[in-house]
Amino acid sequence: MSGLVIVGAQWGDEGKGKVTDYLARQAHLVVRYQGGNNAGHTVVAGGREFRLHLIPSGILYPDKICVIGNGMVVDPEVLFEELDAFIAQGVETARLYISDRAHLLLPYHLRLDEVEEESRGEERIGTTRRGIGPAYADKVARSGLRTGELTEPGWEARVARMVREKNRIFERLYGVPGFQPEQVVEDLKPYVERLRPYLTDTSLILAGALAQEKNILFEGAQGTMLDLDHGTYPFVTSSTPTAGGACHGSGVGPAAVSLVLGVSKAYLTRVGAGPFPTELEGSQCEEIRQKGREFGTTTGRPRRCGWLDLVMLRYAARVNGMGGLIITKLDVLDSLPEIRLCTAYRAKGKVITEFPASLRLLRECEPVYEELEGWREDTSRARRERDLPPAARRFLQRIAELTGIPVVMVSVGPDREQSIVLQDVFFSPQKKVLQA
Ligand code: IMP
């Protein structure tokens, strides 16, 4: 038995989609455990580009079981749009199972996300406006609806009651129109029958797979710094992308996880608001943005770009119990004459080596950089470590030395094949913590 958790080590968009797709080859099951369609993974397979928002990346393999875990919030409209697109391309989707405990994301959550963001004014979070925060807020407030409830008699009345409750908030608090309860129910009806065959207690599937020594890949969405507890609160998402979330959001115990791998770009990006100590401006940012196609998969927003922050990466390694690192988009740095690694911060006359909880302090942090020579060579064709230029190998080595975590894989382009494996540890249950 081997459970491998893939987590984003930054603010999301680290290239986890490609990595999970690559590692799914060796997995029997691929599980998503948090978030919703705020995530956007792009996977290039066989020259075709696929966009995934809710469905685990394993769907592109004909033999993988894919699970949408209880920790996710599911917008049925988006789910079936995505499923229909796969079906139209000949992808077989009967291997998808959806937890009957996952929460539903309904139209009023989307509108709430909009009006709440607008009312925050200057302090807006920059959410994806996909209704994620309001759907999780309802879950925690015990006002949410679970997917499984749609198969039980009387769901219509419950939905209608929820709509009426939300209407009071829309109309009285925000002064915007609410929804027709009957219309929301009518719009949901076509999805109820379509959802039914996918719904089950997915924790049972996972327990069965663990008993049969199968390999399970837990696919984290967003990233550590967007985690509700460990991220740069309040500029975070409303779920638990960190490794602990894999258990909680899928219904397995911690012993099911044999290794946690963190995915980090060779640089750093962020969408949405919040402090970003290594952020670049002007042409340097633009160069990385254009070469790295740093525009949101879900919203199309240009991403903020900066140097790799090892204070953050060390923190992410700690809170996730990371055993190894996967560095993506190395090729984006190919043309740069000089590359920087942030090794510490400076603030209030002190050197800070641990990522602070206080955003006020983080805003004051000036990065301390180590400068490395660029390699100025095309790495996109490298397939083995020895194909990489010495300066690129040195860059990877410094990341491992300064974080204490080994780099086990490097990605040099969007295609499945543009991957270099440095240590093939992915599904070996004995190796829980690797040596840098
Ligand atoms: P929400 O998840 O839509 O509520 O957005 C909260 C914060 O998380 C915002 O800063 C978003 O830009 C960010 N975010 C959410 N999903 C992703 C993602 O998949 N990649 C990168 N950032 C994300």
Side-chain angles (χ1 to χ4, degrees):
M1 173 282 286
S2 189
L4 173 60
V5 183
I6 297 294
V7 290
Q10 302 174 314
W11 278 301
D13 309 318
E14 297 92 349
K16 295 178 299 295
K18 176 196 154 162
V19 169
T20 22
D21 171 68
Y22 182 90
L23 296 177
R25 261 186 243 204
Q26 298 174 45
H28 301 99
L29 295 91
V30 185
V31 181
R32 265 202 61 192
Y33 55 87
Q34 47 70 231
N37 60 300
N38 48 347
H41 288 165
T42 309
V43 176
V44 179
R48 281 195 298 169
E49 193 169 284
F50 296 88
R51 293 207 168 174
L52 300 121
H53 295 285
L54 276 170
I55 300 174
S57 308
I59 202 77
L60 299 173
Y61 289 91
D63 57 340
K64 311 297 175 197
I65 289 178
C66 293
V67 171
I68 288 184
N70 56 277
M72 287 189 70
V73 287
V74 180
D75 180 335
E77 195 179 328
V78 174
L79 174 76
F80 286 107
E81 230 175 70
E82 203 168 313
L83 270 173
D84 288 343
F86 281 125
I87 292 166
Q89 300 209 53
V91 176
E92 192 264 298
T93 59
R95 300 159 287 112
L96 174 72
Y97 296 92
I98 301 171
S99 169
D100 50 12
R101 289 173 171 84
H103 275 246
L104 285 167
L105 194 152
L106 296 171
Y108 51 79
H109 293 126
L110 290 160
R111 190 171 300 170
L112 267 175
D113 205 356
E114 292 274 337
V115 292
E116 285 175 359
E117 270 290 86
E118 290 307 324
S119 75
R120 288 185 187 113
E122 287 296 295
E123 287 168 36
R124 85 171 51 111
I125 295 166
T127 73
T128 59
R129 303 201 180 202
R130 298 298 187 265
I132 306 298
Y136 278 111
D138 269 358
K139 173 178 174 176
V140 176
R142 294 155 295 180
S143 308
L145 277 136
R146 308 209 285 190
T147 52
E149 286 177 72
L150 287 184
T151 62
E152 292 169 355
W155 68 265
E156 296 93 335
R158 179 116 203 274
V159 170
R161 184 168 68 77
M162 284 312 305
V163 176
R164 281 192 292 272
E165 260 177 44
K166 296 294 184 232
N167 281 351
R168 285 207 290 275
I169 298 176
F170 287 124
E171 287 156 16
R172 295 190 196 167
L173 190 61
Y174 294 108
V176 297
F179 290 83
Q180 282 290 333
E182 302 74 26
Q183 193 59 51
V184 175
V185 168
E186 274 314 301
D187 291 348
L188 252 179
K189 277 185 182 163
Y191 300 121
V192 175
E193 281 317 303
R194 287 200 72 189
L195 256 179
R196 200 185 290 271
Y198 294 101
L199 296 181
T200 187
D201 181 348
T202 47
S203 152
L204 269 177
I205 297 180
L206 298 182
L210 290 168
Q212 290 172 42
E213 316 257 301
K214 303 261 196 224
N215 291 340
I216 305 179
L217 184 61
F218 296 93
E219 174 183 3
Q222 288 84 47
T224 302
M225 305 318 294
L226 291 171
D227 186 280
L228 189 54
D229 285 78
H230 303 292
T232 44
Y233 189 91
F235 300 101
V236 292
T237 190
S238 298
S239 68
T240 306
T242 44
C247 297
H248 170 251
S250 69
V252 300
V257 176
S258 40
L259 181 65
V260 178
L261 294 180
V263 184
S264 164
K265 282 192 234 206
Y267 50 96
L268 180 57
T269 62
R270 172 165 211 181
V271 264
F276 181 169
T278 63
E279 184 166 15
L280 288 167
E281 313 239 305
S283 62
Q284 273 189 306
C285 169
E286 205 47 40
E287 195 174 341
I288 293 179
R289 184 182 285 150
Q290 293 303 333
K291 177 93 198 277
R293 292 161 71 192
E294 296 297 352
F295 298 89
T297 317
T298 302
T299 58
R301 290 182 288 178
R303 297 178 183 143
R304 300 157 67 191
C305 301
W307 296 116
L308 184 59
D309 183 340
L310 298 182
V311 182
M312 180 189 288
L313 202 48
R314 283 195 297 266
Y315 171 75
R318 169 158 57 88
V319 298
N320 286 294
M322 253 179 228
L325 271 171
I326 296 172
I327 301 293
T328 60
K329 294 192 151 184
L330 185 75
D331 57 303
V332 172
L333 305 184
D334 281 354
S335 58
L336 302 184
E338 176 198 82
I339 291 161
R340 291 177 161 194
L341 286 172
C342 168
T343 56
Y345 304 140
R346 205 169 272 126
K348 299 188 189 302
K350 289 193 193 134
V351 173
I352 296 173
T353 54
E354 297 299 339
F355 197 83
S358 159
L359 292 199
R360 187 183 281 256
L361 178 57
L362 190 62
R363 277 198 188 91
E364 285 179 39
C365 285
E366 291 290 333
V368 176
Y369 286 119
E370 178 170 310
E371 289 182 2
L372 301 175
E373 212 181 302
W375 41 92
R376 290 194 257 185
E377 233 180 87
D378 177 16
T379 58
S380 68
R381 279 182 245 276
R383 297 292 175 270
R384 294 157 304 180
E385 192 179 0
R386 64 171 182 273
D387 299 338
L388 289 172
R393 273 184 278 161
R394 169 113 186 102
F395 173 74
L396 297 172
Q397 192 191 338
R398 283 307 280 153
I399 295 172
E401 284 166 2
L402 293 163
T403 56
I405 310 287
V407 176
V408 298
M409 183 174 158
V410 180
S411 165
V412 289
D415 209 85
R416 267 181 194 168
E417 309 316 316
Q418 291 175 298
S419 309
I420 304 171
V421 173
L422 280 68
Q423 285 193 50
D424 190 356
V425 291
F426 307 118
F427 286 101
S428 57
Q430 296 81 14
K431 293 183 188 171
K432 296 196 177 179
V433 177
L434 311 166
Q435 295 303 311

